[in-house]
Amino acid sequence: HGAAELDETGTEALPRRTPAPAWFPTAKGEEGDFCLRSSDCAAGLCCARHFWSKICKPVLREGQVCTRHRRKGSHGLEIFQRCQCAEGLACRLQREHGPPDASRLHTCQRH
């Protein structure tokens, strides 16, 4: 009898999992689609800032320019974020023929 009263008021009748809102995408986002986190994007993409929103962008491949963050938290200052390097690659200072520190460019390179 007590449980029936609760069901009528709606406090116990809620489903265990709330369904996603109608506007929420059911498929993984493709390149250029809006996202909240990388898990919203399809394989090979990450969710990164683009102006004042976030979109799915491609994960970086070998030889592509990457961003090396010196301090934790500096990622939030970028207006155009890049994805991280793909698995098996690391963001390292590009090796150039010339004086050290001539180029501050970082690229995705094999470990």
Side-chain angles (χ1 to χ4, degrees):
H1 178 50
E5 288 173 20
L6 287 175
D7 282 344
E8 287 172 14
T9 61
T11 55
E12 290 289 323
L14 295 174
R16 283 180 190 258
R17 214 177 111 212
T18 308
W23 57 265
F24 195 80
T26 52
K28 296 282 186 176
E30 296 299 322
E31 189 173 342
D33 288 348
F34 290 102
C35 56
L36 294 175
R37 58 192 67 83
S38 291
S39 60
D40 296 339
C41 301
L45 302 174
C46 82
C47 189
R49 189 173 292 103
H50 190 80
F51 285 114
W52 291 272
S53 58
K54 292 175 96 177
I55 62 170
C56 296
K57 294 183 180 185
V59 170
L60 301 175
R61 296 183 303 275
E62 189 171 7
Q64 290 186 305
V65 174
C66 54
T67 305
R68 178 89 184 222
H69 299 285
R70 294 165 202 260
R71 295 183 317 268
K72 262 193 164 179
S74 63
H75 213 61
L77 303 175
E78 292 177 277
I79 200 164
F80 296 108
Q81 282 180 328
R82 292 184 177 112
C83 288
Q84 69 282 359
C85 295
E87 202 168 318
L89 302 175
C91 188
R92 294 199 178 119
L93 190 61
Q94 187 171 352
R95 296 179 205 106
E96 296 258 341
H97 303 294
D101 286 350
S103 171
R104 294 301 233 166
L105 207 59
H106 286 77
T107 57
C108 292
Q109 302 169 25
R110 297 237 169 250
H111 289 289

